[in-house]
Amino acid sequence: MDALPQELLLRVLVSAGAWAPAGAPCSAPRQSAMSVCRAWRHALHGSPAAMAQLMLAADSNEGGGEPYGGYPDSTQRRASLRPVGPLSCLLRASGVGKTAVLAEMLALLQDGCLHHSSIQSAVDHALMRACAGGHCGCVRVLLETPRHAARADCMRGQALICAANWGHADAVRLLLSTAAHPARADMRNSEALVCATKKGHAHVVEQLLTARSHAAHADCQRGCVLLMAVERGDAEVVRLLLEAPRHAARADHCDSLVSLCAASAGKADVVELLLGARELAARAGCRDGEALLGAAKAGHADVARPLL
């Protein structure tokens, strides 16, 4: 409480009827503790600066802590994130999209009101939390704060992977286009592209493949991205991968294994895309005709037709 403005405390108590200034009539009965709590909550919700002071003070009083918890990659979920350690308040604010509170906390840290040796690490982790939740306001604040700004390429592109994994196209755009230390779509062997393809986020896949510099490679990880899209039957993502401006996916990879998968699954639109690829198209007679045989066995006449 000592870190909060005294006038805020007095105003809350007076509005709740729990305290009267000196000289004021005291005939009114004192209100319950619940009334005070409600008035306190209302005051904090209406004052991002006060909320920021309170959260920073709470973290300071708690002292250190364990290192920051894990962040979502291609397999983890946001619910597994546990904010721990100093300045975990930054993670809490960015994780729920409290842009105004987050901006006030960063301003206090820049003014030198509180000192932490791990400010930069906390800010980078907060960026990943904001990207996982798609809170673009928080992402922008963290990237543009004058001091201790988060790096869009922090922790080998983990923030971009978070945004791509959950399909937050606006957050991906901010990370790729920021002026200082932009994220690289090809980092970690284009892991962000793998995550977006696995979830079927075509709008994100397109951004990653067409990034101005260091675009993701559609043929990364030995062609597994294209195979992943084919297995999902996602014709739009397959088209984007085959038509990528640079490092386009190869439809004939592994003796046209992708066309075999598409034919067996009855994905006629995908088969046509693979056979009609501009470069290195799949071969209709690959693997001794297994694609045609698989389509015939499954009764997919619409698939068998383009193979013939």
Side-chain angles (χ1 to χ4, degrees), residues 21 31 95 102 160 247:
Q31 300 300 313
L102 180 64
L160 182 64
H247 303 286

Side-chain angles (χ1 to χ4, degrees), residues 62-244:
E62 289 174 4
E66 298 299 322
Y68 290 97
Y71 288 82
D73 52 21
S74 57
T75 58
Q76 292 175 309
R77 297 186 61 84
R78 278 174 289 180
S80 68
L81 303 184
R82 299 280 195 272
V84 292
L87 287 180
S88 62
C89 57
L90 293 177
L91 280 71
R92 290 194 294 271
S94 60
V96 295
K98 296 294 184 181
T99 305
V101 175
L102 180 64
E104 292 289 349
M105 284 194 286
L106 291 171
L108 287 171
L109 293 171
Q110 291 161 23
D111 290 342
C113 295
L114 292 173
H115 174 71
H116 287 276
S117 59
S118 56
I119 291 177
Q120 191 61 57
S121 175
V123 169
D124 288 342
H125 280 79
L127 176 66
M128 289 189 282
R129 176 67 69 89
C131 288
H135 304 302
C136 291
C138 292
V139 172
R140 189 175 289 106
V141 165
L142 290 163
L143 291 175
E144 297 177 357
T145 187
R147 290 180 59 196
H148 308 299
R151 291 180 55 125
D153 61 350
C154 65
M155 299 186 183
R156 299 183 61 234
Q158 190 65 37
L160 182 64
I161 292 172
C162 289
N165 187 57
W166 296 102
H168 300 307
D170 290 338
V172 170
R173 177 180 53 79
L174 286 171
L175 294 170
L176 292 175
S177 61
T178 187
H181 309 292
R184 292 179 46 166
D186 63 348
M187 194 168 284
R188 292 192 181 189
N189 200 4
S190 301
E191 180 66 21
L193 178 65
V194 174
C195 294
T197 301
K198 186 180 296 184
K199 298 292 185 67
H201 302 310
H203 48 305
V204 174
V205 169
E206 185 172 13
Q207 288 188 41
L208 295 170
L209 291 174
T210 57
R212 286 179 298 180
S213 62
H214 301 289
H217 294 191
D219 60 351
C220 68
Q221 302 192 19
R222 296 186 297 177
C224 79
V225 179
L226 180 61
L227 181 60
M228 200 179 299
V230 168
E231 289 176 342
R232 284 178 50 86
D234 196 331
E236 178 61 18
V237 173
V238 170
R239 182 186 64 78
L240 290 169
L241 294 171
L242 292 175
E243 298 178 359

